[in-house]
Amino acid sequence: MIRCVGVSALLTMVLITGCGLDWTAILGQNTETGQAKLERFASANELKQYLVSQASPTNKYGVFAPTPTALDAAEDDASQATAGGASNEFSSDGESRSDSDAPDYSSTTEQEEGVHEADVVKTDGEYLYILSDGILNIVDAVPADSMATLSTTDVGGWGNEMYLVGNQVVTITEPDSIAVYAEQAVDSMFAPGWYFEQTTVVTVIDASDPADPVVKSRTEIDGWVNTSRMIGTVLYLVVTNDLGFLDYDTTTELDTATKDADLSAMLPDIVVEEDGTETVNGDLTTYEDYYRPVDADGLGMTSIITMDINSPADYDAQTVVGYPSNTYVSTEALYLTDSDYTYDGEFRETTDIYKFAFSGATTSLVAAGTVPGRVLNQYSMSEHNGYLRIATTVWSSGGLFTDGSPSNAVYILQQNGTSMEKVGTLEGLAPGETIYSARFLGDKGYLVTFEQIDPLFTLDLSDPTNPKAVGELKVPGFSTLILPMGDDHLLTIGRDTSEEFGWAFADGIRLSIFDVSDFANPQLAYHEVLGSTGTWSEALYNPKAFTYFSENDLIAFPAEMYEWGEVFFDERAKSSTMTNVGITTDTVVDAVETTPIENVTSNGSDPDDATSNGTEIDDVDSNGDEPTDVVIAPPTPSDYFVGLYVYRATTDNGFEYVGRISTATDSEYCYYCSPSFTRGVFIGDNVYAATSEGVQSAAVDEMDSILSDVEFTKPEDEQDVPNSAAVAEPPRVPLPTEATTRE
């Protein structure tokens, strides 16, 4: 059964009755519809047996057959389980504002109004709050030409989640992991090797005096952060636990460990300190707030912790024993999706959806359902007028890693009792392609799919029972983020593409503005391409790295930009001389990709000024004699830049390049390094390039001149390589350090 009120972790294993729902009948497998796939544990012993069964080396398929146990729950009309709680309109800093009181500063890109999302950089228009290397740095940002760091607070560990709520800063970090080694594979999901016991720390800091911030509370929870949201002063934190909370070395010892351990030792713990005094220390929650999928999903534990940051000891928690992945949050409910793999490693071609409704500072499981296909990310879901819209990519057979053919669909679900039931279906979109981005805005929806080109679909969702695709536009490239730009335009960022030999290759960063005023006939109004092959931006996969300051028509995003020159063709490269030393014409054409060499004579003379990126080419003869000191330069970018780009973006004039600020750093590990993160922040007429290393400011209209800069001091015990909580970056295209010389 679900809990009716918030519960303290000081409570022991006590059965809480009431709340009026019979979860045996409601959340068990419905064989007729295939919906509602969660079951609540009937007793502490049943939860223990389940965990033991999932840890058993003989359990290859995550099977669990519970002993028949009647749930001690009152029967009631399940339709009474509805979402509760009043929504409040808050700005990114947590202060109530009317539409006419728009701040003169930018904020974090967020999906839903009133539901705030964490990031590494926040501002209130006067100060910058930057979380880097476990340090909260508060920077006095105004005036922009005299910035200064006012204070630093060590919150511990690594993390990229932070909120600004009025005068309070909330950081979510993960301290250093404790390593546990498994000598043998743990069933099919875990290979031999090191595993880690991870802890998530929520720190609430009073920054009323930015020069002297005070830690109000510190909450430690076993597990690592999946995601979080903030509505008003209530934090919704999703944390996942794995096998690390047990002491084991091998598969057999894991089996023994689960059998011998007390249930309390197997469950994640929580410790709360307020004003330096420990107020909670024990299990995160009790067995009656644990649920499992009907199709067993292993030992993972995904917990939803709900707490008012002003009273963290009075938290609420619900746990699904499994590995839910994507999370979508509206002002009314939190939705978890589970569509990764079965416990035995098989690819799932359906997505389970678990709905947790809000009521004040508590969260309750109220419904579950299933749709075909897999969800890309949180932007593939949206709740509107009581309906959940969800976009998925559906594989016709065999799944992602086989020869099955994909198509795409949009399903509209409505809660009916404790089931999320499909009331509207739109299937068969873009056969052979997959979803790269989605956005639902009111009664309208937008999908971008991709295989060779980028089709943008416009969706009419005004009738939830009859969703329709009404328009389609095909353009090169693809978009990975869609933002509304007024009522009739969309602003997107993605990749430009080129086609060679029937394959599409990603090139530079592509900015686009689409005109959707004629909804059935969307048009590409403007586009801008930055860089070419190898160009990359965190904003391509992390919306929080893309800043759209609509009030001033400005956008900012970090980029690592490569611009390649022309391929160099020289008659000397075609001579037999090159073949004699093992260099073919094709080799030269492929290897030399740079600015063409000028003033090179073809009569065998030795020019004095012939250079390739500053390297002199000597003694090149045309009569077949072997040349000496011939330099074959590898591909070299004619322009390479790491930093923040700023553009103006309007529906009248498209994109206007404003300027860029270099954020490159030198390191013993790489040349021209990128910081761990870069964010663009606008305050008034100034732009700030805030990174993990420090902050630079400039006037928007004079970005070539840096007004001021602040460099952060690194903690003494900084690790060389951050753990998984740090911002992940894809592999880089290295710069050539020297040319290859053939003699």
Side-chain angles (χ1 to χ4, degrees):
M1 71 197 65
I2 61 174
R3 78 178 63 214
C4 302
V5 296
V7 64
S8 169
L10 294 175
L11 294 176
T12 56
M13 298 287 187
V14 177
L15 177 62
I16 300 178
T17 61
C19 296
L21 294 179
D22 183 353
W23 291 102
T24 303
I26 296 170
L27 285 189
Q29 173 70 56
N30 185 324
T31 57
E32 295 182 359
T33 65
Q35 305 300 306
K37 293 192 174 182
L38 283 182
E39 287 184 347
R40 192 176 65 80
F41 291 98
S43 65
N45 184 56
E46 184 179 317
L47 174 57
K48 170 68 180 296
Q49 289 179 357
Y50 181 84
L51 296 176
V52 170
S53 73
Q54 298 307 288
S56 171
T58 61
N59 185 0
K60 300 293 185 183
Y61 303 101
V63 176
F64 175 66
T67 56
T69 305
L71 288 179
D72 184 11
E75 294 186 358
D76 199 353
D77 184 2
S79 64
Q80 297 301 313
T82 57
S87 62
N88 297 315
E89 296 299 331
F90 278 79
S91 69
S92 62
D93 61 7
E95 297 179 353
S96 300
R97 282 196 175 91
S98 64
D99 293 339
S100 61
D101 190 24
D104 191 24
Y105 55 88
S106 60
S107 60
T108 302
T109 297
E110 296 171 339
Q111 182 180 5
E112 297 289 355
E113 184 177 359
V115 180
H116 302 298
E117 302 188 31
D119 197 17
V120 285
V121 178
K122 296 287 184 179
T123 187
D124 56 9
E126 184 175 359
Y127 304 104
L128 290 171
Y129 304 82
I130 302 171
L131 179 62
S132 176
D133 297 325
I135 301 294
L136 170 63
N137 301 273
I138 302 181
V139 177
D140 189 353
V142 179
D145 59 359
S146 58
M147 291 190 302
T149 300
L150 296 180
S151 63
T152 59
T153 303
D154 188 351
V155 295
W158 298 87
N160 52 16
E161 301 221 0
M162 176 179 61
Y163 294 93
L164 181 60
V165 186
N167 292 323
Q168 297 185 99
V169 180
V170 180
T171 64
I172 303 173
T173 56
E174 297 176 354
D176 296 343
S177 305
I178 300 175
V180 178
Y181 188 75
E183 294 179 355
Q184 300 178 15
V186 181
D187 288 338
S188 60
M189 287 197 69
F190 303 99
W194 288 98
Y195 298 97
F196 299 93
E197 296 180 3
Q198 189 64 64
T199 300
T200 294
V201 177
V202 179
T203 306
V204 180
I205 301 166
D206 183 354
S208 299
D209 181 358
D212 188 24
V214 177
V215 175
K216 292 179 57 181
S217 67
R218 178 182 170 91
T219 302
E220 297 186 10
I221 305 168
D222 286 346
W224 63 89
V225 180
N226 176 298
T227 191
S228 67
R229 300 289 192 277
M230 181 80 73
I231 300 177
T233 59
V234 178
L235 174 67
Y236 300 91
L237 178 65
V238 182
V239 172
T240 300
N241 276 274
D242 219 322
L243 300 174
F245 55 84
L246 292 175
D247 184 13
Y248 70 95
D249 290 322
T250 65
T251 303
T252 302
E253 290 187 20
L254 174 61
D255 183 33
T256 302
T258 55
K259 291 177 180 177
D260 294 346
D262 293 333
L263 177 62
S264 180
M266 301 169 69
L267 304 182
D269 293 332
I270 182 171
V271 177
V272 180
E273 291 183 359
E274 298 178 86
D275 297 323
T277 302
E278 187 177 283
T279 57
V280 173
N281 189 335
D283 294 336
L284 178 62
T285 189
T286 51
Y287 76 87
E288 61 266 21
D289 290 306
Y290 279 80
Y291 304 87
R292 68 175 182 86
V294 170
D295 297 327
D297 198 19
L299 276 169
M301 297 182 183
T302 301
S303 301
I304 302 167
I305 300 102
T306 308
M307 68 171 69
D308 191 307
I309 60 172
N310 295 316
S311 55
D314 296 325
Y315 71 92
D316 180 67
Q318 311 284 319
T319 299
V320 176
V321 185
Y323 293 93
S325 52
N326 286 303
T327 303
Y328 163 74
V329 181
S330 71
T331 56
E332 303 294 333
L334 180 150
Y335 296 85
L336 290 180
T337 69
D338 191 354
S339 57
D340 286 340
Y341 301 91
T342 59
Y343 187 51
D344 59 332
E346 292 182 357
F347 182 82
R348 284 198 180 106
E349 297 180 34
T350 59
T351 293
D352 293 340
I353 304 165
Y354 312 137
K355 178 181 179 180
F356 294 80
F358 302 150
S359 180
T362 63
T363 303
S364 301
L365 174 65
V366 295
T370 301
V371 295
R374 298 170 62 83
V375 178
L376 175 65
N377 56 31
Q378 69 183 61
Y379 283 84
S380 296
M381 296 175 278
S382 174
E383 186 181 69
H384 181 63
N385 291 338
Y387 296 93
L388 176 70
R389 293 86 63 85
I390 181 169
T392 68
T393 295
V394 183
W395 294 81
S396 60
S397 63
L400 177 63
F401 303 112
T402 68
D403 295 329
S405 176
S407 65
N408 306 281
V410 174
Y411 300 100
I412 301 181
L413 295 87
Q414 185 178 35
Q415 182 181 341
N416 183 10
T418 54
S419 292
M420 295 297 296
E421 297 182 353
K422 292 193 291 288
V423 297
T425 299
L426 176 61
E427 296 180 315
L429 293 170
E433 301 181 357
T434 57
I435 293 175
Y436 271 62
S437 60
R439 193 67 191 260
F440 298 98
L441 300 169
D443 290 331
K444 297 178 180 180
Y446 304 92
L447 287 184
V448 169
T449 61
F450 181 75
E451 184 184 28
Q452 300 287 354
I453 59 174
D454 169 3
L456 168 69
F457 293 93
T458 58
L459 312 177
D460 181 356
L461 309 176
S462 57
D463 181 358
T465 64
N466 187 28
K468 298 177 181 179
V470 297
E472 178 181 355
L473 173 67
K474 294 184 178 182
V475 294
F478 56 86
S479 302
T480 58
L481 174 64
I482 303 172
L483 297 175
M485 197 177 188
D487 295 330
D488 296 326
H489 291 82
L490 302 175
L491 171 64
T492 74
I493 185 173
R495 299 297 296 270
D496 196 40
T497 58
S498 59
E499 184 176 348
E500 295 183 22
F501 309 107
W503 293 87
F505 294 88
D507 291 327
I509 297 170
R510 184 183 179 95
L511 302 170
S512 301
I513 296 176
F514 293 94
D515 184 343
V516 292
S517 56
D518 182 354
F519 202 60
N521 187 31
Q523 298 294 319
L524 176 63
Y526 306 96
H527 79 279
E528 180 85 5
V529 176
L530 172 66
S532 54
T533 302
T535 301
W536 177 86
S537 172
E538 184 188 347
L540 292 171
Y541 76 93
N542 181 5
K544 300 167 188 177
F546 188 88
T547 302
Y548 176 35
F549 189 26
S550 59
E551 289 81 1
N552 288 5
D553 299 323
L554 292 169
I555 62 174
F557 56 91
E560 183 170 329
M561 195 277 289
Y562 292 80
E563 193 71 65
W564 302 95
E566 300 176 14
V567 176
F568 163 56
F569 292 92
D570 185 78
E571 290 298 323
R572 295 166 301 169
K574 300 179 181 179
S575 70
S576 60
T577 302
M578 309 302 286
T579 304
N580 291 340
V581 294
I583 303 175
T584 66
T585 301
D586 290 340
T587 302
V588 175
V589 170
D590 289 340
V592 183
E593 185 174 349
T594 183
T595 304
I597 295 178
E598 299 178 355
N599 302 323
V600 178
T601 61
S602 60
N603 58 5
S605 62
D606 184 7
D608 295 328
D609 57 353
T611 63
S612 175
N613 287 344
T615 304
E616 185 172 354
I617 298 179
D618 297 324
D619 303 326
V620 180
D621 296 331
S622 60
N623 57 7
D625 294 335
E626 181 173 316
T628 59
D629 198 26
V630 175
V631 175
I632 307 301
T636 304
S638 59
D639 187 12
Y640 174 67
F641 182 83
V642 172
L644 182 76
Y645 278 81
V646 175
Y647 285 83
R648 292 192 187 277
T650 64
T651 57
D652 292 331
N653 300 311
F655 297 101
E656 175 192 351
Y657 171 74
V658 174
R660 63 186 189 180
I661 298 175
S662 173
T663 60
T665 60
D666 292 330
S667 168
E668 60 181 307
Y669 300 106
C670 65
Y671 171 72
Y672 219 52
C673 299
S674 296
S676 297
F677 61 81
T678 297
R679 297 291 185 269
V681 178
F682 298 103
I683 300 178
D685 296 326
N686 299 310
V687 60
Y688 299 78
T691 77
S692 56
E693 311 302 313
V695 186
Q696 299 177 73
S697 63
V700 171
D701 294 333
E702 298 180 15
M703 288 187 59
D704 291 339
S705 177
I706 299 299
L707 295 175
S708 179
D709 67 89
V710 170
E711 184 176 347
F712 296 149
T713 301
K714 294 295 182 181
E716 295 180 358
D717 59 347
E718 179 182 3
Q719 299 178 14
D720 290 335
V721 181
N723 65 16
S724 59
V727 177
E729 297 187 37
R732 302 298 187 196
V733 179
L735 278 176
T737 56
E738 60 183 10
T740 302
T741 301
R742 297 291 185 96
E743 297 183 353

